[in-house]
Amino acid sequence: MRHLLDIANKIDALNRTVAKVVRWGLLANAILITLNALSRKLLSIAYSSAFDLQWQFFAATVLLMAAYTFQRDEHVRIDIATERLGERGLAWLDLTGICLVLLPVCVVLVWVSTPQFLTSILSGESRATRESTSEIPGWIIKGFIPAGFLLLGLQGVAEAIRCVACIRGVLPRPVRRNMLIEKR
């Protein structure tokens, strides 16, 4: 079990590192939005690539930070029975949700989005359409989809390991989850 917990801790470290890098994307996006707005209002110059980058920064942030949000237990939860379940019951509930919902969804989304990402790279697809002349490569945003769900799936594995450790009595529930039980 200790070996599995070490793997879970390494997954945590990976997602923390990704989060530290991605958070700078939020600052870059704020700067980009500001410069784009100033360019349009003061100079009457609009760049279609700047518009594309704005939503791509945001999408990348959401996709790549989902795993970190899950790690910190700050995702949306519907816990109507937590006060009756206790620590081990909550671990069983989390483990069931991870195994029956989270991991299958992540596997399917990585499986479905990876070929589109690879096709986009090989074809040299850009974001240009009839409405936009943006030349940003399409594979960039398409790559964030499998990457984000892969990171989320890995974090799901880490959390499942912790749930099993709690059920076996090896490790207590993380503090944030214990607060769910104690709150009521």
Side-chain angles (χ1 to χ4, degrees), residues 41-93:
K41 298 296 180 189
L42 299 178
L43 304 173
S44 297
I45 299 172
Y47 297 100
S48 58
S49 294
F51 289 117
D52 272 354
L53 277 177
Q54 289 174 15
W55 70 263
Q56 287 190 18
F57 268 120
F58 182 72
T61 301
V62 170
L63 287 165
L64 297 177
M65 294 291 279
Y68 183 68
T69 303
F70 184 48
Q71 177 189 109
R72 295 185 41 86
D73 200 34
E74 293 178 355
H75 57 289
V76 176
R77 297 182 69 97
I78 302 172
D79 292 320
I80 55 176
T82 54
E83 63 188 22
R84 291 183 221 144
L85 293 176
E87 186 176 65
R88 290 186 67 207
L90 188 56
W92 273 110
L93 180 65

Side-chain angles (χ1 to χ4, degrees), residues 4-17:
L4 291 174
L5 288 169
D6 288 341
I7 291 171
N9 290 333
K10 287 178 180 166
I11 293 170
D12 285 349
L14 170 67
N15 282 319
R16 268 193 309 276
T17 302

